[in-house]
Amino acid sequence: MRFLTNKIEDLTSNSIVCFIFENDQNKTDLFNHLDKLSNNELSKQIYDYRIIKGKFQESIKIAINENLVALVMGLGKKEELTRKKLSQTAAFCARQLKNRQSIAFELVENLGLKNCEDNFSKSDAVNIIFTGARIGLYEFQKYLSDKKTITDTIEILENNITKEIETNAQIGAYSSFAMKFAKDLINEQAQIVTPAYVAQIAQDIAKEHNLEVKIFNKNEIKELNMNAFLAVGQGSVNEPKFIHLTYKPKNTPRKKIALVGKGITFDAGGMNIKPAQSMLTMKSDMSGAASVLGIIQAIANLKSDIELHVVSALCENMTSGSAYKQGDVLTAMNGKTIEVDNTDAEGRITLADALCYCDKLGVDEVIDIATLTGAVIVSLGHNITGVLGNNQEQIDKFQKIAGKSCENTWQMPILDELKDNLKSEIADMKNTGGRNAGTSTAGWFLSNFTKSKSWMHLDIAGTAYLDKSNKETLFGPTGVMIRSLINYLLS
Ligand code: BES
Ligand code: MN
Ligand code: ZN
């Protein structure tokens, strides 16, 4: 995918999105330009015949000349236009025009809103449009014999391209790449995406971006005392791998952050085997790992001034003669013991050791991202990510940035009372309790394995993978929280 920024007269694309607001007679520069190119056809259709009125999501395609198609797109009432609506609109427009080689967008802004928190500038818009458009264009065609060619260039038209717009264009371009990278890896079948395969990708990324890289094999994982993580992977013929990548800026880092991604390359449930319907999408149980590997590439490309560690404990959760069993007692890296109550609650066990590992990195913050609990789907559905943690300031800051990144989050509590759910007679804790408060209970479990005073946990079980399309995203992996985390790391 190519991303360009140009002045309106220098338009190179063969399709263009022209935004109009509801009940707004003010024609934009772009509108006038296209009107001229089309011998006033555009203003005739829109302002004389009024075939659309600019309501939100109202749109019409008009041929401007033999080479150029315009999608006139309603944005609704100006004072109601939010970032999220703009992102959804960019995705929608891109999907409408995906058979064109390139798509141009103009930048819009919305300043002076009643709630000034909601204001966004043209430099915000460029980030939103690049990521939104690429969400709309995403398709996984690898296994189709009949492949369609889709748009390969997105062009932004703006007569006054400021430094800020350029910076945000870069952020948008690399964020959208990180999302595409993660989605491709999640879409790939688990037969191919084994722990060793992901480790090789991590190695390749490290080489390309000059990152420090450590890959631990089974014996080395044992030497690190990650016996909880090892137990989860022991039922698979594909051996576990533990990966650790580090990006360091040229100068002293402004901040040091570790990102941990859940990396179960297939979750069959283990001996507590999942029913067929629930197992169907479990190649996506490494969405966290895919996300953090996408993010570190963006951070390296953007030459961020933070030090970023990316960590993942990669394994398969399978049923077999060597699989770990209910009643087993596992000792994590920090010495705490876990009674296995259910082998399908494997993510928290692998994360436990990954979080312990992060304690040794001397970072200011630890954030994990994991397809952790079915319970978060019951609580929040498929469009809201659960946020938990032990530092309210960090959570508040992240949620604010996530909102500005057009993604939905909701905080779930971690309270001492949850401890009773995991009470064990023979170990420090069980790995699961009853059905109640499943997401928070998992959060409480994880909190036992980090010493960080700023640890945050994102439960993306509901949001990482959709089995139905929605307004913005097609069926399949979403790359959720990648935009938000990149914007958070850069802030
Ligand atoms: N990977 C699943 C969680 C999940 C469920 C992700 C649905 C995406 C969609 C996780 O490992 C799991 O199986 N969790 C169990 C925990 C339970 C046994 C306490 C669950 O949520 O059912
Ligand atoms: Mn599971
Ligand atoms: Zn899982």
Side-chain angles (χ1 to χ4, degrees):
M1 181 72 66
R2 282 195 318 150
F3 294 98
L4 311 171
T5 42
N6 274 326
K7 299 202 161 143
I8 292 178
E9 295 86 69
D10 301 332
L11 163 73
T12 61
S13 296
N14 63 356
S15 73
I16 181 153
V17 175
C18 181
F19 293 129
I20 57 171
F21 286 104
E22 190 174 343
N23 302 328
D24 185 3
Q25 296 295 325
N26 298 323
K27 294 175 189 161
T28 61
D29 292 347
L30 178 65
F31 191 97
N32 289 328
H33 182 66
L34 294 174
D35 205 26
K36 224 175 8 190
L37 288 181
S38 68
N39 288 324
N40 301 334
E41 188 59 28
L42 201 58
S43 50
K44 226 187 279 167
Q45 301 268 352
I46 305 297
Y47 291 107
D48 299 344
Y49 308 155
R50 316 257 328 153
I51 45 175
I52 63 168
K53 298 192 175 59
K55 289 203 168 94
F56 182 57
Q57 288 187 331
E58 217 181 14
S59 70
I60 181 159
K61 273 188 207 167
I62 296 177
I64 298 296
N65 56 38
E66 59 191 282
N67 300 319
L68 182 61
V69 170
L71 179 71
V72 183
M73 184 75 218
L75 289 177
K77 297 201 178 77
K78 174 121 203 200
E79 64 277 12
E80 288 172 7
L81 180 65
T82 58
R83 293 161 195 254
K84 207 169 10 181
K85 279 184 171 173
L86 180 62
S87 174
Q88 284 167 356
T89 303
F92 172 85
C93 294
R95 214 177 298 168
Q96 295 302 306
L97 295 169
K98 70 175 182 195
N99 61 337
R100 309 293 293 184
Q101 186 256 325
S102 52
I103 306 173
F105 285 87
E106 63 182 319
L107 293 181
V108 284
E109 61 188 358
N110 212 3
L111 304 167
L113 286 172
K114 240 190 277 154
N115 182 0
C116 51
E117 278 279 289
D118 294 335
N119 283 347
F120 62 88
S121 63
K122 286 189 173 180
S123 64
D124 295 318
V126 72
N127 187 347
I128 293 169
I129 290 173
F130 275 169
T131 44
R134 204 165 187 192
I135 289 171
L137 289 173
Y138 181 80
E139 282 176 25
F140 184 68
Q141 296 200 38
K142 182 174 172 192
Y143 294 111
L144 299 177
S145 19
D146 193 8
K147 296 189 194 4
K148 294 163 278 178
T149 42
I150 49 179
T151 310
D152 63 18
T153 304
I154 297 171
E155 180 180 19
I156 292 288
L157 296 177
E158 168 60 36
N159 284 341
N160 180 22
I161 296 167
T162 61
K163 189 94 198 57
E164 222 187 336
I165 290 178
E166 255 165 30
T167 309
N168 277 282
Q170 292 274 309
I171 297 172
Y174 286 122
S175 296
S176 81
F177 169 79
M179 290 172 74
K180 147 119 176 54
F181 166 88
K183 290 179 185 187
D184 280 346
L185 194 55
I186 299 163
N187 261 323
E188 187 56 273
Q189 48 185 318
Q191 224 185 151
I192 291 179
V193 182
T194 58
Y197 181 90
V198 180
Q200 183 57 50
I201 286 190
Q203 196 101 53
D204 296 345
I205 291 172
K207 200 163 165 207
E208 186 183 339
H209 296 278
N210 229 330
L211 309 175
E212 286 170 29
V213 56
K214 287 184 190 150
I215 313 268
F216 300 97
N217 65 21
K218 191 172 159 190
N219 286 330
E220 292 160 332
I221 296 167
K222 209 174 278 169
E223 272 161 34
L224 286 169
N225 285 323
M226 296 190 181
N227 290 308
F229 163 41
L230 266 186
V232 174
Q234 78 190 28
S236 172
V237 292
N238 295 312
E239 292 204 346
K241 297 279 181 195
F242 189 90
I243 61 170
H244 173 199
L245 297 180
T246 312
Y247 162 80
K248 284 188 175 153
K250 268 218 185 79
N251 301 318
T252 320
R254 175 171 57 83
K255 220 187 204 178
K256 300 182 182 184
I257 300 186
L259 288 183
V260 182
K262 173 173 169 180
I264 303 296
T265 57
F266 191 74
D267 182 10
M271 296 311 296
N272 295 105
I273 192 165
K274 284 183 185 292
Q277 203 52 39
S278 316
M279 207 190 294
L280 196 56
T281 56
M282 281 304 132
K283 67 175 183 184
S284 69
D285 215 19
M286 35 57 79
S287 296
S291 305
V292 298
L293 286 173
I295 291 167
I296 199 168
Q297 294 175 75
I299 291 299
N301 277 321
L302 291 164
K303 302 195 171 52
S304 159
D305 58 356
I306 65 155
E307 180 175 311
L308 181 65
H309 296 260
V310 152
V311 165
S312 185
L314 297 153
C315 70
E316 281 183 340
N317 186 26
M318 302 294 278
T319 44
S320 82
S322 61
Y324 81 132
K325 303 170 184 75
Q326 288 182 293
D328 287 357
V329 177
L330 318 175
T331 307
M333 192 180 187
N334 65 353
K336 291 196 182 163
T337 55
I338 305 160
E339 179 187 356
V340 179
D341 181 70
N342 189 315
T343 62
D344 197 12
E346 82 298 336
R348 64 194 73 181
I349 301 179
T350 61
L351 286 171
D353 274 334
L355 288 172
C356 291
Y357 180 90
C358 290
D359 278 344
K360 305 195 189 315
L361 302 178
V363 292
D364 306 306
E365 293 180 34
V366 177
I367 303 172
D368 76 73
I369 171 165
T371 46
L372 203 66
T373 65
V376 80
I377 310 175
V378 179
S379 319
L380 302 177
H382 287 291
N383 287 307
I384 307 169
T385 294
V387 181
L388 303 91
N390 61 13
N391 185 318
Q392 198 55 44
E393 229 176 279
Q394 180 190 27
I395 291 173
D396 289 344
K397 182 180 170 200
F398 177 75
Q399 286 197 279
K400 207 163 159 186
I401 291 174
K404 293 196 168 190
S405 310
C406 313
E407 299 198 288
N408 303 318
T409 59
W410 201 259
Q411 187 180 356
M412 314 270 274
I414 299 180
L415 299 169
D416 285 341
E417 281 73 3
L418 295 163
K419 187 177 183 167
D420 298 339
N421 295 351
L422 297 180
K423 190 163 174 28
S424 164
E425 301 296 336
I426 61 163
D428 296 337
M429 69 200 85
K430 289 184 181 173
N431 72 330
T432 61
R435 279 161 29 97
N436 297 340
T439 304
S440 283
T441 304
W444 183 85
F445 178 93
L446 292 179
S447 71
N448 286 279
F449 298 92
T450 180
K451 291 201 183 90
S452 175
K453 293 278 173 277
S454 293
W455 158 72
M456 187 169 70
H457 160 59
L458 305 177
D459 193 335
I460 56 167
T463 48
Y465 197 96
L466 302 180
D467 30 32
K468 280 203 297 287
S469 302
N470 70 26
K471 268 192 200 147
E472 196 177 65
T473 311
L474 284 182
F475 152 90
T478 59
V480 73
M481 292 296 122
I482 291 178
R483 291 183 269 181
S484 298
L485 282 169
I486 291 172
N487 291 332
Y488 178 80
L489 295 174
L490 295 174
S491 72

